[in-house]
Amino acid sequence: MNTKNKGFSTKLIHSGDFEDQFGSAVVPIYQTSTFAFKNADQGARLFSGEEKGHIYTRLSNPTIEALENKLADLENGVGGIALSSGMAAVSTVYAAFLNQGDHMISTHAVYGPSRLLMEDIYSRFGVESTYMDTSDPVAVENAIQENTKLIYLETPANPTMELSDIETISKIAHKHNLLVVVDNTFSSPYLQKPLDLDADVVLHSLTKFINGHADVVGGALIANNEDVLKKMKKIMRYMGGNMDPHQAYLVSRGVKTLALRVQQSTDIAKKVAAYLEQHPKIKWVNYPGLKSHPQYDLAAKQMKDFGSMLCFELKGGIKAGKTLMNSVKLALLAVSLGGVESLIQHPASMTHAGVSEENRIKSGITPGLVRFSVGIEDADDIIEDLNQALENV
Ligand SMILES: *Cc1c(COP(=O)(O)O)cnc(C)c1O
């Protein structure tokens, strides 16, 4: 179906679909590694690009392509690629746009492994990086060096919920001929569309909100122009970070309810944040939808709503945080986020344990910070669970 000029929810359901010979209502799983050519000439035409079609699943596959087209449509990009994981997307972006001697600027409170991949692995190939507070666009511009090629933003950032101004930073970046990549995992295209704010590439861990059911790992990259898309595709095809058809099928199924899930969990998160903020045992709550969030206005401007991720610190620090995590009964004590179930975790000892303590503190990841991913259980039950757990603190 042609979903041009259709609304976001219509695109969620129908975008990327194609008709097959049976009139299948959903795109089936094309669980095949290779595709037979009609004859030698057709094989040659497919390889030369003269004819469009599938050759081999690492290069392209109908089930995966349907998902890629849907994601590109949702983010208002020209095209996208689906990958085996969010980290495959991160490594593909680094490999596509950074050469030996180049420099990248990135948000300090970024997803832990995104930073570790750069500082531990890409540094070995001579790529330099600066991790900084990207919430201040002037500071970002001041950090640009001769050899800077890429600005890699994560907003809201993991786990501090710090925001970066995508439009202003993209304007600065383009003045200096730099590319802007935005990890949009925490918002999903339902809440935020970085390409509409002039970013060049959107990155997703599909594992989180887009699939939304905590049952598959996946990643994606969406580009705002063909040249950028081509460079990323080339890396994926050579390095082999491609998705599998079965994975693509599951994500295509999960994404259909994205708008419903994200809106519902956002509405609940507002109540949870308000509850936590007034609790005497809580030191502070960071949630973009609270008036107390220093970037509430930016969140209201660049996001459709405030999302369902929040973090907070207990007055009793790390010890109190541990007691809380051991006392919750409804929320699962688990990493990951953006699923239908509420999840609680402790970044300093879990997702960001690999980042040095010094860098954690600099990035606002305090020892007692607890991250909460609000699911779509009943708001009263989630709050009641936190309430009984806080009584033990
Ligand atoms: C989970 C996550 C990633 C990595 O994705 P995987 O699917 O786990 O490889 C990257 N960025 C953010 C913000 C994430 O939350």
Side-chain angles (χ1 to χ4, degrees):
M1 170 183 182
N2 184 352
T3 50
K4 200 169 184 305
N5 302 322
K6 294 282 191 284
F8 188 80
S9 289
T10 304
K11 289 183 179 185
L12 279 176
I13 310 298
H14 297 292
S15 205
D17 283 4
F18 58 86
E19 282 174 34
D20 69 3
Q21 70 205 93
F22 304 109
S24 305
V26 298
V27 174
I29 311 175
Y30 285 85
Q31 194 71 43
T32 181
S33 60
T34 194
F35 299 83
F37 311 130
K38 290 191 182 81
N39 52 53
D41 282 344
Q42 194 211 10
R45 284 198 304 276
L46 286 167
F47 266 95
S48 72
E50 220 176 294
E51 185 178 323
K52 270 190 74 126
H54 301 288
I55 297 171
Y56 183 64
T57 284
R58 176 161 44 76
L59 311 178
S60 71
N61 171 287
T63 314
I64 300 169
E65 193 176 83
L67 174 64
E68 291 170 337
N69 290 339
K70 190 189 293 272
L71 295 174
D73 202 15
L74 296 174
E75 289 282 8
N76 294 332
V78 299
I81 53 174
L83 298 116
S84 59
S85 69
M87 284 312 298
V90 177
S91 51
T92 298
V93 150
Y94 291 170
F97 304 115
L98 294 165
N99 294 315
Q100 186 176 27
D102 287 348
H103 172 250
M104 178 182 97
I105 294 171
S106 183
T107 311
H108 55 187
V110 76
Y111 182 70
S114 302
R115 178 167 185 167
L116 296 171
L117 173 67
M118 176 53 63
E119 292 185 337
D120 288 0
I121 314 290
Y122 275 79
S123 62
R124 286 180 8 216
F125 305 124
V127 178
E128 296 170 22
S129 57
T130 301
Y131 283 84
M132 61 179 296
D133 177 0
T134 52
S135 66
D136 177 7
V138 176
V140 173
E141 182 156 31
N142 289 337
I144 296 172
Q145 306 176 176
E146 278 292 281
N147 57 343
T148 306
K149 293 286 158 57
L150 190 71
I151 299 182
Y152 183 103
L153 303 174
E154 191 178 300
T155 177
N158 184 7
T160 58
M161 304 308 296
E162 225 166 58
L163 270 65
S164 299
D165 184 333
I166 299 170
E167 195 168 22
T168 304
I169 293 175
S170 296
K171 206 169 275 164
I172 291 168
H174 295 151
K175 200 170 75 187
H176 295 268
N177 287 321
L178 314 181
L179 280 184
V180 177
V181 175
V182 177
D183 183 336
N184 201 27
T185 300
F186 266 41
S187 299
S188 88
Y190 175 68
L191 294 178
Q192 177 171 278
K193 294 189 185 64
L195 301 185
D196 289 357
L197 300 169
D198 256 0
D200 302 284
V201 175
V202 170
L203 183 148
H204 277 288
S205 167
L206 302 174
T207 317
K208 317 295 168 52
F209 287 99
I210 291 191
N211 179 61
H213 293 75
D215 54 7
V216 62
V217 168
L221 293 166
I222 297 108
N224 75 344
N225 79 70
E226 292 292 346
D227 180 50
V228 162
L229 179 67
K230 217 164 120 187
K231 285 183 177 146
M232 298 191 301
K233 227 176 226 181
K234 186 169 161 183
I235 298 293
M236 178 188 77
R237 289 171 170 180
Y238 289 164
M239 290 179 69
N242 59 286
M243 186 173 257
D244 172 86
H246 190 251
Q247 237 178 328
Y249 169 82
L250 284 171
V251 177
S252 297
R253 177 177 150 135
V255 73
K256 291 186 185 184
T257 53
L258 181 76
L260 296 171
R261 286 185 283 104
V262 174
Q263 192 58 59
Q264 180 73 2
S265 59
T266 296
D267 292 344
I268 299 170
K270 288 176 192 168
K271 294 181 187 164
V272 172
Y275 161 77
L276 288 171
E277 193 168 49
Q278 56 76 46
H279 198 286
K281 288 180 185 169
I282 305 279
K283 198 162 162 189
W284 49 257
V285 181
N286 247 0
Y287 177 65
L290 287 174
K291 291 265 162 57
S292 59
H293 192 287
Q295 295 158 297
Y296 174 85
D297 292 337
L298 176 61
K301 187 175 136 218
Q302 83 181 6
M303 298 168 73
K304 176 187 162 79
D305 209 332
F306 303 107
S308 51
M309 294 301 299
L310 55 90
C311 69
F312 55 92
E313 170 115 11
L314 286 129
K315 284 186 183 149
I318 175 80
K319 193 163 163 278
K322 271 196 177 153
T323 307
L324 177 84
M325 283 182 284
N326 287 329
S327 304
V328 289
K329 291 177 180 147
L330 177 65
L332 300 175
L333 175 53
V335 300
S336 197
L337 57 108
V340 291
E341 53 288 286
S342 294
L343 302 176
I344 195 164
Q345 72 112 350
H346 178 235
S349 68
M350 297 172 186
T351 46
H352 292 70
V355 179
S356 72
E357 190 179 352
E358 189 196 341
N359 283 337
R360 277 203 304 268
I361 300 289
K362 263 196 219 154
S363 317
I365 307 168
T366 52
L369 183 147
V370 174
R371 191 184 78 182
F372 198 78
S373 171
V374 180
I376 57 170
E377 300 96 341
D378 286 291
D380 290 348
D381 292 337
I382 296 171
I383 291 172
E384 170 47 34
D385 185 40
L386 286 168
N387 201 49
Q388 65 81 23
L390 281 164
E391 271 167 26
N392 289 339
V393 171

